[in-house]
Amino acid sequence: MRNLHPLAPVLGAFALAVAAIAPAANAADTPPSTATCEVNRPIRFSGLNWESNLVLAGIERYVLEHGYGCKTTVEIGETLPMLAALQRGDVDVTPEVWPGQIEGAWKKALASGKVLGVGHVYDAGEGWYVPRYTIERHPDLKSAADLARMKDVFADPEDPGRGRIYGCPAGWACGTLNDNLLRALKLDKDYALFAPGSGAAQKAAIVSAYKRKRDIVFYYWTPTSLVGALDLVKLELPAFDQAAYTCMTDPKCANPVATEFKPNPVVTGVNAAFAKDAPKITEFLGKLTVPDDAINATLGWLENEGKEPEDAARYFLKQYGPVWRAWMPTDVADRVQAALARE
């Protein structure tokens, strides 16, 4: 049939060229291909009830759901019960394990062959703190041992004849450390070690005292938004001694000797059977490391904005792309980035 339009041959050629180009253009607009999870069930996370752990759990769950094509759940619990659950395979991943704080239990878990410690998430610390204004009022207070002559400064409102030290929330593994440290410093007769009912209650008590410029001495850990936000002084303890520390982590320690808290390289706890079934996910967890400034800024944002840990996880992912992209293959990172862009 004869062409009726003089430009028909040109238009036809143009149409063929557009048709050839279109697939490439469409491919560029197509989101990264979907992934199939290595395990055919939800991945179960330990939700230990403090901020940094819950933020880490949120970050890891988001990556696994949007980057690796997995479903996830979180089980809320305390440190030692969740370590037992990790050994049994009732949970698969504990985002934040402090081996130095649960030294004996962690060594037994590793020796069982049922648990792995992977990666180096960051370095954590612990100590007894007072506000700087307390030091300005009592400049001779420098070490934890100095508390022996200052029980009236930190009077227990429920037992005015004794002082009060705000220790770990009830049920936390650091309770054993603090109990033994109190005995090692010979403070157990003059001070009550008060265990708040939860991490939130502990934080609220500290912030309330700080706002009212009331003298308070308390246990806390880093990285946390609270230590970063308040002007605090860490009380001195004797130089770290491994043998003394090992005894301090034991509830049956007969004769505790005071020592500095152990520096804690935080690792990710993984059930060994899960690691075998999901080597790519385990590789991701092993590469996960968070710079101090990034975790501190994220926890500070959580504190200042009054948001939930899941919100802080998204904040981290949106703010620190170069950090988390190094933890995973490019195609996985692209899927995570695409999910963030859709929010």
Side-chain angles (χ1 to χ4, degrees):
M1 182 175 179
R2 187 169 60 88
N3 290 321
L4 299 179
H5 197 288
L7 293 180
V10 177
L11 293 173
F14 178 75
L16 289 173
V18 169
I21 294 171
N26 290 338
D29 295 335
T30 301
S33 59
T34 57
T36 301
C37 189
E38 290 179 294
V39 293
N40 190 26
R41 60 169 177 78
I43 297 171
R44 299 156 298 188
F45 280 79
S46 299
L48 305 177
N49 58 349
W50 61 85
E51 293 165 340
S52 55
N53 176 83
L54 293 173
V55 171
L56 285 171
I59 292 168
E60 293 168 16
R61 292 180 68 197
Y62 194 96
V63 169
L64 293 190
E65 290 173 5
H66 297 283
Y68 288 88
C70 301
K71 295 180 180 179
T72 71
T73 61
V74 63
E75 304 290 334
I76 302 298
E78 308 292 351
T79 302
L80 293 177
M82 295 312 287
L83 177 58
L86 190 67
Q87 289 180 264
R88 293 192 303 267
D90 293 340
V91 294
D92 304 301
V93 180
T94 298
E96 187 176 332
V97 175
W98 295 34
Q101 192 182 86
I102 52 170
E103 198 165 73
W106 182 244
K107 286 181 178 179
K108 289 179 181 178
L110 294 177
S112 74
K114 297 178 180 179
V115 170
L116 304 176
V118 302
H120 182 180
V121 182
Y122 45 64
D123 288 315
E126 302 166 85
W128 284 6
Y129 292 87
V130 296
R132 187 170 299 279
Y133 59 74
T134 295
I135 298 295
E136 291 169 353
R137 293 170 184 165
H138 307 280
D140 53 341
L141 175 58
K142 300 182 184 302
S143 71
D146 294 333
L147 292 171
R149 60 180 183 273
M150 294 189 172
K151 66 177 181 178
D152 293 338
V153 174
F154 304 103
D156 188 334
E158 297 177 5
D159 186 1
R162 304 175 75 199
R164 171 180 284 192
I165 298 172
Y166 286 78
C168 276
W172 287 22
C174 49
T176 298
L177 273 169
N178 283 282
D179 285 339
N180 283 328
L181 181 56
L182 192 77
R183 290 195 295 128
L185 293 168
K186 312 299 183 188
L187 296 174
D188 47 319
K189 291 183 180 179
D190 290 326
Y191 280 84
L193 190 63
F194 180 76
S198 66
Q202 177 195 33
K203 184 176 179 180
I206 295 166
V207 171
S208 174
Y210 190 90
K211 287 181 176 179
R212 291 183 290 144
K213 299 293 183 182
R214 183 169 64 80
D215 294 316
I216 184 172
V217 56
F218 58 91
Y219 162 86
Y220 224 72
W221 67 98
T222 57
T224 51
S225 57
L226 182 137
V227 173
L230 306 184
D231 190 5
L232 304 173
V233 175
K234 185 178 179 181
L235 297 179
E236 297 172 4
L237 285 166
F240 178 75
D241 179 89
Q242 181 60 58
Y245 187 84
T246 298
C247 191
M248 291 246 296
T249 64
D250 185 353
K252 298 179 180 179
C253 181
N255 298 297
V257 175
T259 180
E260 178 63 271
F261 288 90
K262 186 176 184 176
N264 263 306
V266 173
V267 301
T268 302
V270 183
N271 175 268
F274 170 80
K276 184 176 181 181
D277 292 339
K280 293 180 181 177
I281 293 172
T282 304
E283 182 180 6
F284 151 66
L285 294 171
K287 291 181 178 179
L288 192 152
T289 185
V290 184
D292 289 345
D293 60 345
I295 190 63
N296 288 332
T298 300
L299 294 173
W301 180 90
L302 175 65
E303 173 77 10
N304 294 331
E305 298 296 324
K307 299 291 187 178
E308 296 297 323
E310 293 82 2
D311 301 316
R314 286 173 169 79
Y315 171 86
F316 173 88
L317 291 167
K318 290 177 180 179
Q319 294 293 319
Y320 296 99
V323 172
W324 60 260
R325 291 186 73 94
W327 305 341
M328 63 200 77
T330 301
D331 60 326
V332 177
D334 288 346
R335 286 192 288 269
V336 174
Q337 193 70 63
L340 292 168
R342 291 193 295 269
E343 294 188 351

